[in-house]
């Protein structure tokens, strides 16, 4: 049986999750795909740092060591920020590797050139993990778009913001206290700016836009508001009226093809599909012409949800090449 | 460009929906798949009945006319009941046709022999439309199962029952009045037995079981209870306690691989993923080992949702054969 050699770029929570899942599911993947998947190398920031044991795996802080591995075929990328991730992925694609990324900051900006590059090289890009964590909104959209057109997308795309809003309502606590709790529980970063400012949700919305509408609005035209200006008084008042604050990222296409996007807090009532989405969950409601509204809900982040959809991307890519058949 | 010849078996709501969508999306499908799709024939019960115009399409009540069409490659099946649908699909597969079915009664019983037959003939079976209408639970499960295992599935799989329960709570009306309203609105059949007895949800649950667990429980061991014994008093009492009746189909696998399934009304609170599913919507919550709980919500029936996922099945099948690439 042939072996597929893969590397993981970035060995934080998500990178380690990929490593665990590939090892746990190695025999199953062999059986279903007819190919063995081996993690040959991981790219880290600091080789000296103590980390989980990875026997037989090259651990390096030098990307050149990885890109020069003979026969490397798949690169899983779980780094943050645009660079050097974009440069690494370009080089991996040029070498003929399939790439699977979780990097929303990079991918929101470079999805179009990366796809063009991959197409010309005959390789695939998996990016399910960039948007809504374990919720398979990218695959679902790709399938829908074979037949349906999408008019509007509305989503809760940042689990940290949703967790804070949920806590403020349920426990009647201040924004700062909810944020601290989210940080203590590992839901929010030490620097929570990207999450609470709406920037993280904005980047994910742009990825959905590129897929659903084949373009993005001008980024400067999109009003992005965070949750940091919502007071406990606002939340209490909404609660009394039977409403809830949700941090909603939405984009809509009008009849002329123009896109209108916004990211910010909204008050929603019990009939709204996002009303019942609590805690760190993400949700995406897709308004389509034939199916109507389809809503997907699930964990928006976390080691295993995110890593799991990345390994699914790998399986999908292999399936595209080999043809696949699931017996039942 | 090559043309794929297809036939539609059964020309009721769903069959006509397929015909409309294939015609509306013909140019788009050509572009994305590189193949033209032509509906060559439809199988009807009564040739004399007045129906929508289908220029250039053979309209026949004789399956032999269809199976003998030279070069027929795809059969869409939207008939009810096990026979003659099963026989027709066996013959279509034997002839080398891909089949796409919406027939849950037939498929819940014959999914295993049909898949074996298709595998030996090198063709594919699409069955997204058998379960939860426009909600893509089959594709989502297939993808998940590449990496995840499923522990439990809970769903609202019958839109009619959910509509009736929703109306009883919102309008405080009796079961019989809600049923009549559902019938007037076209949500319930003149003979509502399959819907309100739980049998329809049971069949869909068995299809999910075959996919998620590669087997079904003994049908006689599954307790199936409908909604017809829920009184307005029951609903009112639940409402006062902040609870809602949901007609839940669920199946769970224990550590020894044993399956436990049941279909019947349950009282659920606001934290339950099915609490907020109202009206004719369906929902399926999938408990998986890596991702956690993923919930899909959308219209459980209807001409366009159901027909749309059948045409998506066609696109997926063609994609499997040809390899496919979506540019963004």
């Amino acid at each position: 049986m042939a072996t597929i050699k893969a590397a993981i770029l970035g060995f934080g929570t998500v990178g380690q999750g990929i490593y665990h899942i590939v090892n746990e599911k190695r025999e199953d993947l062999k059986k279903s795909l007819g190919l063995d998947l081996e993690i040959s190398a991981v790219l880290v920031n600091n080789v000296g740092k103590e980390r989980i044991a990875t026997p037989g795996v090259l651990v390096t802080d030098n990307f050149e060591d990885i890109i020069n591995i003979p026969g490397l075929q798949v690169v899983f990328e779980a780094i943050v920020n645009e660079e050097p991730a974009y440069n690494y992925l370009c080089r991996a694609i040029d070498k003929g590797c399939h790439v699977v990324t979780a990097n929303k900051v990079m991918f929101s900006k470079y999805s179009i050139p990366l796809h063009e590059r991959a197409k010309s090289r005959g390789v695939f890009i998996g990016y399910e993990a960039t948007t809504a964590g374990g919720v398979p909104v990218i695959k679902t959209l790709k399938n829908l778009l074979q037949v349906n057109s999408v008019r509007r997308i509305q989503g809760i795309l940042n689990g940290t913001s949703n967790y804070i809003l949920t806590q403020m309502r349920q426990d009647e606590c201040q924004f700062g206290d909810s944020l601290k709790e989210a940080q203590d529980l590992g839901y929010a970063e030490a620097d929570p700016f990207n999450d609470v400012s709406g920037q993280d949700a904005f980047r994910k919305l742009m990825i959905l836009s590129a897929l659903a509408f084949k373009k993005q609005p001008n980024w400067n035209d999109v009003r992005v508001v965070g949750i940091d200006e919502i007071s406990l008084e606002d939340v209490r008042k909404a609660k009394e009226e039977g409403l809830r604050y949700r941090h909603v990222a939405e984009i809509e296409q009008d009849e002329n093809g123009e896109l209108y996007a916004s990211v910010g807090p909204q008050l929603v009532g019990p009939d709204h599909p996002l009303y019942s989405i609590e805690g760190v969950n993400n949700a995406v409601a897709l308004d389509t012409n034939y199916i109507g509204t389809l809503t997907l809900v699930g964990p928006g982040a976390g080691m295993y949800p995110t890593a799991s959809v990345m390994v699914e991307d790998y399986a999908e890519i292999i399936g595209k090449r080999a043809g696949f058949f699931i017996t039942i």
Side-chain angles (χ1 to χ4, degrees), chain A:
Chain A
M1 184 179 291
T3 298
I4 302 277
K5 284 190 194 177
I8 301 172
L9 311 185
F11 210 53
T13 306
V14 172
Q16 290 181 36
I18 297 167
Y19 182 77
H20 286 312
I21 291 178
V22 168
N23 281 299
E24 284 171 19
K25 299 294 287 186
R26 193 159 173 176
E27 290 306 313
D28 290 342
L29 288 168
K30 254 192 212 173
K31 230 162 72 181
S32 61
L33 300 172
L35 290 168
D36 192 17
L37 175 61
E38 175 192 285
I39 302 297
S40 304
V42 298
L43 181 71
V44 299
N45 268 329
N46 174 0
V47 178
K49 188 177 157 187
E50 200 170 317
R51 55 175 58 86
I52 58 163
T54 53
V57 176
L58 170 69
V59 179
T60 175
D61 58 5
N62 185 354
F63 180 69
E64 303 306 321
D65 294 344
I66 287 180
I67 199 69
N68 289 318
I69 292 172
L72 185 71
Q73 283 189 271
V74 175
V75 168
F76 292 101
E77 186 249 323
I79 317 183
V80 277
N81 295 328
E82 288 171 18
E83 291 295 354
Y86 178 56
N87 177 264
Y88 290 170
L89 291 195
C90 286
R91 293 187 58 200
I93 288 169
D94 291 348
K95 221 197 145 201
C97 292
H98 302 294
V99 301
V100 177
T101 179
N103 186 337
K104 58 218 164 191
V105 174
M106 180 278 300
F107 199 74
S108 56
K109 189 157 171 188
Y110 293 116
S111 71
I112 292 172
L114 271 182
H115 269 113
E116 280 168 4
R117 201 173 194 114
K119 195 175 182 181
S120 73
R121 198 63 185 74
V123 297
F124 293 99
I125 301 175
Y127 60 102
E128 184 65 71
T130 59
T131 305
V135 181
V137 62
I138 302 295
K139 278 191 191 61
T140 303
L141 255 173
K142 279 186 186 173
N143 284 328
L144 282 176
L145 290 167
Q146 297 268 6
V147 177
N148 285 263
S149 54
V150 170
R151 285 183 290 232
R152 193 168 68 142
I153 300 173
Q154 269 198 318
I156 293 175
L157 298 177
N158 182 271
T160 307
S161 294
N162 203 55
Y163 178 83
I164 292 172
L165 291 175
T166 304
Q167 288 307 106
M168 286 173 76
R169 193 190 78 245
Q170 286 181 346
D171 296 356
E172 306 220 339
C173 56
Q174 301 285 349
F175 172 80
D177 296 333
S178 295
L179 171 60
K180 191 170 174 310
E181 193 176 330
Q183 286 170 323
D184 290 346
L185 288 166
Y187 297 149
E189 305 287 331
D191 178 359
F193 174 78
N194 269 334
D195 290 325
V196 302
S197 69
Q199 284 301 320
D200 176 80
F202 167 72
R203 293 294 183 122
K204 293 167 178 167
L205 187 69
M206 291 303 101
I207 292 172
L208 294 176
S209 176
L211 175 59
F213 305 113
K214 312 282 179 251
K215 62 184 179 183
Q216 295 178 343
N218 186 328
W219 285 19
N220 294 325
D221 293 342
V222 183
R223 185 152 188 261
V224 179
V225 180
I227 59 162
D228 41 348
E229 286 178 22
I230 299 176
S231 69
L232 177 55
E233 276 321 295
D234 296 332
V235 171
R236 271 195 187 128
K237 191 158 167 277
K239 194 175 175 180
E240 278 162 22
E241 291 167 11
L243 302 173
R244 292 176 181 177
Y245 277 101
R246 291 291 178 230
H247 189 253
V248 180
E250 63 183 331
I251 186 160
E252 195 165 356
Q253 189 169 41
D254 74 8
E255 311 87 64
N256 305 319
E258 290 295 314
L259 294 177
Y260 298 92
S262 68
V263 177
Q266 291 188 15
L267 277 172
V268 301
D271 289 334
H272 195 282
L274 303 181
Y275 178 83
S276 62
I277 312 305
E278 297 276 60
V280 291
N281 271 327
N282 276 198
V284 191
L286 308 165
D287 284 1
T288 72
N289 63 328
Y290 291 125
I291 291 185
T293 301
L294 185 68
T295 306
L296 310 178
V297 183
M303 173 188 272
Y304 285 114
T306 308
S308 164
V309 298
M310 294 180 81
V311 182
E312 278 174 35
D313 274 349
Y314 159 79
E316 191 194 2
I317 288 169
I318 297 299
K320 277 181 190 174
R321 306 235 112 191
F324 62 99
F325 191 88
I326 296 167
T327 39
I328 290 187

